[in-house]
PDB file of all heavy atoms in Angstrom:
ATOM      1  N   THR A   1       7.442 -61.915-111.124  1.00  0.00           N
ATOM      2  CA  THR A   1       8.735 -62.340-110.589  1.00  0.00           C
ATOM      3  C   THR A   1       8.531 -63.464-109.590  1.00  0.00           C
ATOM      4  O   THR A   1       7.747 -63.325-108.638  1.00  0.00           O
ATOM      5  CB  THR A   1       9.437 -61.170-109.891  1.00  0.00           C
ATOM      6  OG1 THR A   1       9.607 -60.107-110.828  1.00  0.00           O
ATOM      7  CG2 THR A   1      10.797 -61.591-109.348  1.00  0.00           C
ATOM      8  N   PRO A   2       9.208 -64.590-109.753  1.00  0.00           N
ATOM      9  CA  PRO A   2       9.031 -65.685-108.797  1.00  0.00           C
ATOM     10  C   PRO A   2       9.539 -65.302-107.414  1.00  0.00           C
ATOM     11  O   PRO A   2      10.398 -64.430-107.250  1.00  0.00           O
ATOM     12  CB  PRO A   2       9.892 -66.818-109.386  1.00  0.00           C
ATOM     13  CG  PRO A   2      10.174 -66.428-110.787  1.00  0.00           C
ATOM     14  CD  PRO A   2      10.149 -64.937-110.837  1.00  0.00           C
ATOM     15  N   LEU A   3       8.988 -65.945-106.410  1.00  0.00           N
ATOM     16  CA  LEU A   3       9.572 -65.886-105.080  1.00  0.00           C
ATOM     17  C   LEU A   3      10.757 -66.837-105.017  1.00  0.00           C
ATOM     18  O   LEU A   3      10.783 -67.875-105.693  1.00  0.00           O
ATOM     19  CB  LEU A   3       8.545 -66.300-104.016  1.00  0.00           C
ATOM     20  CG  LEU A   3       7.305 -65.422-103.849  1.00  0.00           C
ATOM     21  CD1 LEU A   3       6.397 -66.016-102.771  1.00  0.00           C
ATOM     22  CD2 LEU A   3       7.675 -63.991-103.516  1.00  0.00           C
ATOM     23  N   GLN A   4      11.744 -66.506-104.205  1.00  0.00           N
ATOM     24  CA  GLN A   4      12.890 -67.399-104.069  1.00  0.00           C
ATOM     25  C   GLN A   4      13.440 -67.350-102.656  1.00  0.00           C
ATOM     26  O   GLN A   4      13.296 -66.353-101.943  1.00  0.00           O
ATOM     27  CB  GLN A   4      13.988 -67.038-105.070  1.00  0.00           C
ATOM     28  CG  GLN A   4      14.527 -65.629-104.935  1.00  0.00           C
ATOM     29  CD  GLN A   4      15.670 -65.366-105.879  1.00  0.00           C
ATOM     30  OE1 GLN A   4      16.427 -66.272-106.237  1.00  0.00           O
ATOM     31  NE2 GLN A   4      15.826 -64.124-106.306  1.00  0.00           N
ATOM     32  N   ALA A   5      14.065 -68.445-102.261  1.00  0.00           N
ATOM     33  CA  ALA A   5      14.730 -68.530-100.967  1.00  0.00           C
ATOM     34  C   ALA A   5      15.792 -69.620-101.071  1.00  0.00           C
ATOM     35  O   ALA A   5      15.776 -70.451-101.992  1.00  0.00           O
ATOM     36  CB  ALA A   5      13.740 -68.847 -99.852  1.00  0.00           C
ATOM     37  N   SER A   6      16.715 -69.618-100.129  1.00  0.00           N
ATOM     38  CA  SER A   6      17.735 -70.662-100.062  1.00  0.00           C
ATOM     39  C   SER A   6      17.332 -71.684 -99.013  1.00  0.00           C
ATOM     40  O   SER A   6      16.865 -71.327 -97.923  1.00  0.00           O
ATOM     41  CB  SER A   6      19.091 -70.052 -99.706  1.00  0.00           C
ATOM     42  OG  SER A   6      20.070 -71.070 -99.552  1.00  0.00           O
ATOM     43  N   PHE A   7      17.508 -72.965 -99.355  1.00  0.00           N
ATOM     44  CA  PHE A   7      17.247 -74.044 -98.409  1.00  0.00           C
ATOM     45  C   PHE A   7      18.309 -75.112 -98.573  1.00  0.00           C
ATOM     46  O   PHE A   7      18.485 -75.662 -99.660  1.00  0.00           O
ATOM     47  CB  PHE A   7      15.851 -74.644 -98.639  1.00  0.00           C
ATOM     48  CG  PHE A   7      15.527 -75.789 -97.713  1.00  0.00           C
ATOM     49  CD1 PHE A   7      15.199 -75.543 -96.391  1.00  0.00           C
ATOM     50  CD2 PHE A   7      15.572 -77.102 -98.157  1.00  0.00           C
ATOM     51  CE1 PHE A   7      14.915 -76.586 -95.521  1.00  0.00           C
ATOM     52  CE2 PHE A   7      15.286 -78.162 -97.302  1.00  0.00           C
ATOM     53  CZ  PHE A   7      14.958 -77.895 -95.975  1.00  0.00           C
ATOM     54  N   GLN A   8      19.038 -75.393 -97.510  1.00  0.00           N
ATOM     55  CA  GLN A   8      20.122 -76.391 -97.546  1.00  0.00           C
ATOM     56  C   GLN A   8      21.104 -76.102 -98.672  1.00  0.00           C
ATOM     57  O   GLN A   8      21.627 -77.027 -99.306  1.00  0.00           O
ATOM     58  CB  GLN A   8      19.533 -77.809 -97.696  1.00  0.00           C
ATOM     59  CG  GLN A   8      18.552 -78.213 -96.618  1.00  0.00           C
ATOM     60  CD  GLN A   8      19.231 -78.572 -95.299  1.00  0.00           C
ATOM     61  OE1 GLN A   8      20.421 -78.855 -95.273  1.00  0.00           O
ATOM     62  NE2 GLN A   8      18.489 -78.540 -94.214  1.00  0.00           N
ATOM     63  N   GLY A   9      21.339 -74.815 -98.954  1.00  0.00           N
ATOM     64  CA  GLY A   9      22.259 -74.436-100.020  1.00  0.00           C
ATOM     65  C   GLY A   9      21.675 -74.446-101.404  1.00  0.00           C
ATOM     66  O   GLY A   9      22.364 -74.112-102.360  1.00  0.00           O
ATOM     67  N   HIS A  10      20.409 -74.801-101.537  1.00  0.00           N
ATOM     68  CA  HIS A  10      19.739 -74.865-102.829  1.00  0.00           C
ATOM     69  C   HIS A  10      18.805 -73.662-102.991  1.00  0.00           C
ATOM     70  O   HIS A  10      18.033 -73.347-102.082  1.00  0.00           O
ATOM     71  CB  HIS A  10      18.908 -76.143-102.948  1.00  0.00           C
ATOM     72  CG  HIS A  10      19.717 -77.404-102.902  1.00  0.00           C
ATOM     73  ND1 HIS A  10      20.182 -78.040-104.029  1.00  0.00           N
ATOM     74  CD2 HIS A  10      20.151 -78.142-101.849  1.00  0.00           C
ATOM     75  CE1 HIS A  10      20.854 -79.114-103.686  1.00  0.00           C
ATOM     76  NE2 HIS A  10      20.855 -79.209-102.364  1.00  0.00           N
ATOM     77  N   ARG A  11      18.870 -73.023-104.148  1.00  0.00           N
ATOM     78  CA  ARG A  11      17.895 -71.985-104.448  1.00  0.00           C
ATOM     79  C   ARG A  11      16.559 -72.652-104.787  1.00  0.00           C
ATOM     80  O   ARG A  11      16.496 -73.559-105.624  1.00  0.00           O
ATOM     81  CB  ARG A  11      18.362 -71.139-105.639  1.00  0.00           C
ATOM     82  CG  ARG A  11      17.463 -69.913-105.884  1.00  0.00           C
ATOM     83  CD  ARG A  11      17.734 -69.307-107.244  1.00  0.00           C
ATOM     84  NE  ARG A  11      19.081 -68.835-107.437  1.00  0.00           N
ATOM     85  CZ  ARG A  11      19.450 -67.558-107.533  1.00  0.00           C
ATOM     86  NH1 ARG A  11      18.527 -66.618-107.455  1.00  0.00           N
ATOM     87  NH2 ARG A  11      20.709 -67.233-107.733  1.00  0.00           N
ATOM     88  N   VAL A  12      15.489 -72.178-104.146  1.00  0.00           N
ATOM     89  CA  VAL A  12      14.138 -72.672-104.404  1.00  0.00           C
ATOM     90  C   VAL A  12      13.343 -71.527-105.001  1.00  0.00           C
ATOM     91  O   VAL A  12      13.269 -70.444-104.417  1.00  0.00           O
ATOM     92  CB  VAL A  12      13.452 -73.179-103.113  1.00  0.00           C
ATOM     93  CG1 VAL A  12      12.040 -73.687-103.405  1.00  0.00           C
ATOM     94  CG2 VAL A  12      14.300 -74.285-102.470  1.00  0.00           C
ATOM     95  N   VAL A  13      12.754 -71.740-106.178  1.00  0.00           N
ATOM     96  CA  VAL A  13      12.022 -70.714-106.913  1.00  0.00           C
ATOM     97  C   VAL A  13      10.590 -71.187-107.082  1.00  0.00           C
ATOM     98  O   VAL A  13      10.346 -72.320-107.516  1.00  0.00           O
ATOM     99  CB  VAL A  13      12.674 -70.444-108.286  1.00  0.00           C
ATOM    100  CG1 VAL A  13      11.793 -69.552-109.144  1.00  0.00           C
ATOM    101  CG2 VAL A  13      14.049 -69.813-108.104  1.00  0.00           C
ATOM    102  N   THR A  14       9.622 -70.307-106.746  1.00  0.00           N
ATOM    103  CA  THR A  14       8.228 -70.743-106.759  1.00  0.00           C
ATOM    104  C   THR A  14       7.313 -69.558-107.041  1.00  0.00           C
ATOM    105  O   THR A  14       7.778 -68.441-107.232  1.00  0.00           O
ATOM    106  CB  THR A  14       7.879 -71.439-105.420  1.00  0.00           C
ATOM    107  OG1 THR A  14       6.582 -72.025-105.493  1.00  0.00           O
ATOM    108  CG2 THR A  14       7.949 -70.469-104.261  1.00  0.00           C
ATOM    109  N   MET A  15       6.006 -69.801-107.065  1.00  0.00           N
ATOM    110  CA  MET A  15       5.030 -68.789-107.457  1.00  0.00           C
ATOM    111  C   MET A  15       4.765 -67.793-106.331  1.00  0.00           C
ATOM    112  O   MET A  15       4.648 -68.178-105.173  1.00  0.00           O
ATOM    113  CB  MET A  15       3.691 -69.430-107.836  1.00  0.00           C
ATOM    114  CG  MET A  15       3.587 -69.970-109.240  1.00  0.00           C
ATOM    115  SD  MET A  15       3.816 -68.782-110.569  1.00  0.00           S
ATOM    116  CE  MET A  15       2.566 -67.551-110.220  1.00  0.00           C
ATOM    117  N   PRO A  16       4.622 -66.511-106.690  1.00  0.00           N
ATOM    118  CA  PRO A  16       4.158 -65.513-105.724  1.00  0.00           C
ATOM    119  C   PRO A  16       2.633 -65.490-105.669  1.00  0.00           C
ATOM    120  O   PRO A  16       1.970 -66.142-106.477  1.00  0.00           O
ATOM    121  CB  PRO A  16       4.708 -64.213-106.307  1.00  0.00           C
ATOM    122  CG  PRO A  16       4.634 -64.438-107.797  1.00  0.00           C
ATOM    123  CD  PRO A  16       4.934 -65.914-107.995  1.00  0.00           C
ATOM    124  N   PRO A  17       2.047 -64.723-104.741  1.00  0.00           N
ATOM    125  CA  PRO A  17       0.592 -64.545-104.745  1.00  0.00           C
ATOM    126  C   PRO A  17       0.097 -63.983-106.070  1.00  0.00           C
ATOM    127  O   PRO A  17       0.837 -63.246-106.740  1.00  0.00           O
ATOM    128  CB  PRO A  17       0.362 -63.551-103.599  1.00  0.00           C
ATOM    129  CG  PRO A  17       1.511 -63.794-102.670  1.00  0.00           C
ATOM    130  CD  PRO A  17       2.674 -64.082-103.594  1.00  0.00           C
ATOM    131  N   PRO A  18      -1.135 -64.373-106.471  1.00  0.00           N
ATOM    132  CA  PRO A  18      -2.181 -64.971-105.652  1.00  0.00           C
ATOM    133  C   PRO A  18      -2.032 -66.462-105.391  1.00  0.00           C
ATOM    134  O   PRO A  18      -2.975 -67.068-104.870  1.00  0.00           O
ATOM    135  CB  PRO A  18      -3.446 -64.689-106.467  1.00  0.00           C
ATOM    136  CG  PRO A  18      -2.988 -64.711-107.882  1.00  0.00           C
ATOM    137  CD  PRO A  18      -1.635 -64.079-107.847  1.00  0.00           C
ATOM    138  N   SER A  19      -0.901 -67.061-105.755  1.00  0.00           N
ATOM    139  CA  SER A  19      -0.615 -68.385-105.218  1.00  0.00           C
ATOM    140  C   SER A  19      -0.185 -68.206-103.768  1.00  0.00           C
ATOM    141  O   SER A  19       0.891 -67.662-103.502  1.00  0.00           O
ATOM    142  CB  SER A  19       0.502 -69.075-106.006  1.00  0.00           C
ATOM    143  OG  SER A  19       1.007 -70.171-105.274  1.00  0.00           O
ATOM    144  N   GLY A  20      -1.022 -68.649-102.852  1.00  0.00           N
ATOM    145  CA  GLY A  20      -0.588 -68.669-101.461  1.00  0.00           C
ATOM    146  C   GLY A  20       0.361 -69.823-101.215  1.00  0.00           C
ATOM    147  O   GLY A  20       1.001 -69.894-100.165  1.00  0.00           O
ATOM    148  N   GLY A  21       0.466 -70.726-102.199  1.00  0.00           N
ATOM    149  CA  GLY A  21       1.310 -71.899-102.027  1.00  0.00           C
ATOM    150  C   GLY A  21       2.776 -71.574-101.938  1.00  0.00           C
ATOM    151  O   GLY A  21       3.497 -72.076-101.075  1.00  0.00           O
ATOM    152  N   GLY A  22       3.275 -70.722-102.851  1.00  0.00           N
ATOM    153  CA  GLY A  22       4.698 -70.433-102.871  1.00  0.00           C
ATOM    154  C   GLY A  22       5.182 -69.762-101.607  1.00  0.00           C
ATOM    155  O   GLY A  22       6.192 -70.167-101.010  1.00  0.00           O
ATOM    156  N   ALA A  23       4.475 -68.718-101.170  1.00  0.00           N
ATOM    157  CA  ALA A  23       4.884 -68.012 -99.959  1.00  0.00           C
ATOM    158  C   ALA A  23       4.829 -68.929 -98.744  1.00  0.00           C
ATOM    159  O   ALA A  23       5.728 -68.902 -97.886  1.00  0.00           O
ATOM    160  CB  ALA A  23       3.994 -66.791 -99.753  1.00  0.00           C
ATOM    161  N   THR A  24       3.785 -69.752 -98.647  1.00  0.00           N
ATOM    162  CA  THR A  24       3.650 -70.644 -97.506  1.00  0.00           C
ATOM    163  C   THR A  24       4.729 -71.720 -97.524  1.00  0.00           C
ATOM    164  O   THR A  24       5.296 -72.074 -96.477  1.00  0.00           O
ATOM    165  CB  THR A  24       2.243 -71.272 -97.487  1.00  0.00           C
ATOM    166  OG1 THR A  24       1.269 -70.224 -97.564  1.00  0.00           O
ATOM    167  CG2 THR A  24       2.018 -72.084 -96.232  1.00  0.00           C
ATOM    168  N   LEU A  25       5.062 -72.238 -98.706  1.00  0.00           N
ATOM    169  CA  LEU A  25       6.145 -73.227 -98.822  1.00  0.00           C
ATOM    170  C   LEU A  25       7.467 -72.644 -98.339  1.00  0.00           C
ATOM    171  O   LEU A  25       8.181 -73.262 -97.537  1.00  0.00           O
ATOM    172  CB  LEU A  25       6.272 -73.689-100.274  1.00  0.00           C
ATOM    173  CG  LEU A  25       7.488 -74.582-100.570  1.00  0.00           C
ATOM    174  CD1 LEU A  25       7.340 -75.934 -99.894  1.00  0.00           C
ATOM    175  CD2 LEU A  25       7.688 -74.750-102.069  1.00  0.00           C
ATOM    176  N   LEU A  26       7.817 -71.452 -98.817  1.00  0.00           N
ATOM    177  CA  LEU A  26       9.097 -70.856 -98.423  1.00  0.00           C
ATOM    178  C   LEU A  26       9.112 -70.533 -96.932  1.00  0.00           C
ATOM    179  O   LEU A  26      10.143 -70.688 -96.261  1.00  0.00           O
ATOM    180  CB  LEU A  26       9.368 -69.603 -99.245  1.00  0.00           C
ATOM    181  CG  LEU A  26       9.533 -69.803-100.761  1.00  0.00           C
ATOM    182  CD1 LEU A  26       9.986 -68.508-101.418  1.00  0.00           C
ATOM    183  CD2 LEU A  26      10.511 -70.929-101.081  1.00  0.00           C
ATOM    184  N   GLN A  27       7.994 -70.094 -96.405  1.00  0.00           N
ATOM    185  CA  GLN A  27       7.913 -69.828 -94.967  1.00  0.00           C
ATOM    186  C   GLN A  27       8.189 -71.103 -94.172  1.00  0.00           C
ATOM    187  O   GLN A  27       8.953 -71.105 -93.195  1.00  0.00           O
ATOM    188  CB  GLN A  27       6.539 -69.262 -94.622  1.00  0.00           C
ATOM    189  CG  GLN A  27       6.393 -68.818 -93.176  1.00  0.00           C
ATOM    190  CD  GLN A  27       5.007 -68.237 -92.902  1.00  0.00           C
ATOM    191  OE1 GLN A  27       4.239 -67.980 -93.822  1.00  0.00           O
ATOM    192  NE2 GLN A  27       4.685 -68.037 -91.643  1.00  0.00           N
ATOM    193  N   LEU A  28       7.590 -72.212 -94.596  1.00  0.00           N
ATOM    194  CA  LEU A  28       7.810 -73.491 -93.915  1.00  0.00           C
ATOM    195  C   LEU A  28       9.268 -73.936 -94.007  1.00  0.00           C
ATOM    196  O   LEU A  28       9.854 -74.397 -93.018  1.00  0.00           O
ATOM    197  CB  LEU A  28       6.884 -74.556 -94.516  1.00  0.00           C
ATOM    198  CG  LEU A  28       5.431 -74.505 -94.043  1.00  0.00           C
ATOM    199  CD1 LEU A  28       4.529 -75.315 -94.960  1.00  0.00           C
ATOM    200  CD2 LEU A  28       5.329 -75.015 -92.608  1.00  0.00           C
ATOM    201  N   LEU A  29       9.858 -73.800 -95.188  1.00  0.00           N
ATOM    202  CA  LEU A  29      11.260 -74.197 -95.345  1.00  0.00           C
ATOM    203  C   LEU A  29      12.158 -73.380 -94.432  1.00  0.00           C
ATOM    204  O   LEU A  29      13.101 -73.914 -93.817  1.00  0.00           O
ATOM    205  CB  LEU A  29      11.686 -74.039 -96.808  1.00  0.00           C
ATOM    206  CG  LEU A  29      11.064 -75.020 -97.805  1.00  0.00           C
ATOM    207  CD1 LEU A  29      11.457 -74.651 -99.232  1.00  0.00           C
ATOM    208  CD2 LEU A  29      11.476 -76.465 -97.502  1.00  0.00           C
ATOM    209  N   LYS A  30      11.883 -72.091 -94.311  1.00  0.00           N
ATOM    210  CA  LYS A  30      12.707 -71.235 -93.457  1.00  0.00           C
ATOM    211  C   LYS A  30      12.558 -71.602 -91.978  1.00  0.00           C
ATOM    212  O   LYS A  30      13.536 -71.590 -91.218  1.00  0.00           O
ATOM    213  CB  LYS A  30      12.340 -69.764 -93.689  1.00  0.00           C
ATOM    214  CG  LYS A  30      12.950 -69.169 -94.954  1.00  0.00           C
ATOM    215  CD  LYS A  30      12.584 -67.714 -95.106  1.00  0.00           C
ATOM    216  CE  LYS A  30      13.451 -67.040 -96.155  1.00  0.00           C
ATOM    217  NZ  LYS A  30      14.850 -66.876 -95.703  1.00  0.00           N
ATOM    218  N   VAL A  31      11.352 -71.908 -91.559  1.00  0.00           N
ATOM    219  CA  VAL A  31      11.145 -72.298 -90.168  1.00  0.00           C
ATOM    220  C   VAL A  31      11.833 -73.627 -89.865  1.00  0.00           C
ATOM    221  O   VAL A  31      12.457 -73.808 -88.801  1.00  0.00           O
ATOM    222  CB  VAL A  31       9.634 -72.376 -89.857  1.00  0.00           C
ATOM    223  CG1 VAL A  31       9.385 -73.026 -88.495  1.00  0.00           C
ATOM    224  CG2 VAL A  31       9.009 -70.981 -89.897  1.00  0.00           C
ATOM    225  N   LEU A  32      11.762 -74.566 -90.786  1.00  0.00           N
ATOM    226  CA  LEU A  32      12.249 -75.927 -90.534  1.00  0.00           C
ATOM    227  C   LEU A  32      13.747 -76.109 -90.777  1.00  0.00           C
ATOM    228  O   LEU A  32      14.353 -77.032 -90.213  1.00  0.00           O
ATOM    229  CB  LEU A  32      11.477 -76.923 -91.408  1.00  0.00           C
ATOM    230  CG  LEU A  32       9.983 -77.068 -91.104  1.00  0.00           C
ATOM    231  CD1 LEU A  32       9.295 -77.923 -92.168  1.00  0.00           C
ATOM    232  CD2 LEU A  32       9.749 -77.656 -89.719  1.00  0.00           C
ATOM    233  N   GLU A  33      14.368 -75.250 -91.572  1.00  0.00           N
ATOM    234  CA  GLU A  33      15.756 -75.489 -91.982  1.00  0.00           C
ATOM    235  C   GLU A  33      16.727 -75.656 -90.813  1.00  0.00           C
ATOM    236  O   GLU A  33      17.552 -76.580 -90.813  1.00  0.00           O
ATOM    237  CB  GLU A  33      16.235 -74.378 -92.917  1.00  0.00           C
ATOM    238  CG  GLU A  33      17.656 -74.619 -93.432  1.00  0.00           C
ATOM    239  CD  GLU A  33      18.083 -73.607 -94.490  1.00  0.00           C
ATOM    240  OE1 GLU A  33      17.546 -72.475 -94.468  1.00  0.00           O
ATOM    241  OE2 GLU A  33      18.944 -73.932 -95.317  1.00  0.00           O
ATOM    242  N   PRO A  34      16.700 -74.793 -89.780  1.00  0.00           N
ATOM    243  CA  PRO A  34      17.686 -74.973 -88.697  1.00  0.00           C
ATOM    244  C   PRO A  34      17.447 -76.195 -87.832  1.00  0.00           C
ATOM    245  O   PRO A  34      18.323 -76.592 -87.054  1.00  0.00           O
ATOM    246  CB  PRO A  34      17.525 -73.683 -87.873  1.00  0.00           C
ATOM    247  CG  PRO A  34      16.811 -72.729 -88.753  1.00  0.00           C
ATOM    248  CD  PRO A  34      15.913 -73.571 -89.597  1.00  0.00           C
ATOM    249  N   LEU A  35      16.276 -76.782 -87.882  1.00  0.00           N
ATOM    250  CA  LEU A  35      15.967 -77.957 -87.063  1.00  0.00           C
ATOM    251  C   LEU A  35      16.554 -79.196 -87.731  1.00  0.00           C
ATOM    252  O   LEU A  35      16.474 -79.369 -88.940  1.00  0.00           O
ATOM    253  CB  LEU A  35      14.456 -78.101 -86.903  1.00  0.00           C
ATOM    254  CG  LEU A  35      13.739 -76.846 -86.389  1.00  0.00           C
ATOM    255  CD1 LEU A  35      12.242 -77.086 -86.309  1.00  0.00           C
ATOM    256  CD2 LEU A  35      14.298 -76.408 -85.054  1.00  0.00           C
ATOM    257  N   ASN A  36      17.115 -80.058 -86.922  1.00  0.00           N
ATOM    258  CA  ASN A  36      17.845 -81.197 -87.482  1.00  0.00           C
ATOM    259  C   ASN A  36      16.883 -82.341 -87.787  1.00  0.00           C
ATOM    260  O   ASN A  36      16.855 -83.360 -87.085  1.00  0.00           O
ATOM    261  CB  ASN A  36      18.939 -81.657 -86.517  1.00  0.00           C
ATOM    262  CG  ASN A  36      20.003 -82.468 -87.229  1.00  0.00           C
ATOM    263  OD1 ASN A  36      19.759 -83.038 -88.293  1.00  0.00           O
ATOM    264  ND2 ASN A  36      21.187 -82.513 -86.650  1.00  0.00           N
ATOM    265  N   LEU A  37      16.086 -82.161 -88.855  1.00  0.00           N
ATOM    266  CA  LEU A  37      15.117 -83.190 -89.211  1.00  0.00           C
ATOM    267  C   LEU A  37      15.783 -84.469 -89.681  1.00  0.00           C
ATOM    268  O   LEU A  37      15.217 -85.560 -89.557  1.00  0.00           O
ATOM    269  CB  LEU A  37      14.166 -82.667 -90.298  1.00  0.00           C
ATOM    270  CG  LEU A  37      13.342 -81.425 -89.932  1.00  0.00           C
ATOM    271  CD1 LEU A  37      12.357 -81.109 -91.054  1.00  0.00           C
ATOM    272  CD2 LEU A  37      12.615 -81.606 -88.610  1.00  0.00           C
ATOM    273  N   ALA A  38      16.996 -84.353 -90.227  1.00  0.00           N
ATOM    274  CA  ALA A  38      17.716 -85.564 -90.632  1.00  0.00           C
ATOM    275  C   ALA A  38      18.030 -86.424 -89.420  1.00  0.00           C
ATOM    276  O   ALA A  38      18.014 -87.659 -89.493  1.00  0.00           O
ATOM    277  CB  ALA A  38      19.005 -85.184 -91.364  1.00  0.00           C
ATOM    278  N   ALA A  39      18.292 -85.789 -88.273  1.00  0.00           N
ATOM    279  CA  ALA A  39      18.604 -86.539 -87.065  1.00  0.00           C
ATOM    280  C   ALA A  39      17.356 -87.152 -86.446  1.00  0.00           C
ATOM    281  O   ALA A  39      17.372 -88.296 -85.984  1.00  0.00           O
ATOM    282  CB  ALA A  39      19.297 -85.627 -86.046  1.00  0.00           C
ATOM    283  N   THR A  40      16.256 -86.395 -86.404  1.00  0.00           N
ATOM    284  CA  THR A  40      15.042 -86.973 -85.832  1.00  0.00           C
ATOM    285  C   THR A  40      14.425 -88.019 -86.746  1.00  0.00           C
ATOM    286  O   THR A  40      13.689 -88.892 -86.278  1.00  0.00           O
ATOM    287  CB  THR A  40      14.012 -85.876 -85.514  1.00  0.00           C
ATOM    288  OG1 THR A  40      13.779 -85.087 -86.687  1.00  0.00           O
ATOM    289  CG2 THR A  40      14.518 -84.957 -84.412  1.00  0.00           C
TER     290      THR A  40
END
């Protein structure tokens, strides 16, 4: 089953472990989403 999360209203679907990539990507998106990167 893929990992999934919402980012900027978009569903993002990616690989679960043993891909450490998918979990780490979603973790980063969740941390960064509330920060106004478009403004900076």
Side-chain angles (χ1 to χ4, degrees):
T1 302
L3 296 179
Q4 59 176 330
S6 176
F7 179 76
Q8 303 284 341
H10 297 267
R11 188 194 299 250
V12 180
V13 171
T14 188
M15 278 300 303
S19 164
T24 307
L25 172 68
L26 297 188
Q27 186 179 349
L28 282 164
L29 291 174
K30 281 182 166 290
V31 170
L32 294 172
E33 183 173 27
L35 307 178
N36 200 337
L37 300 185
T40 54

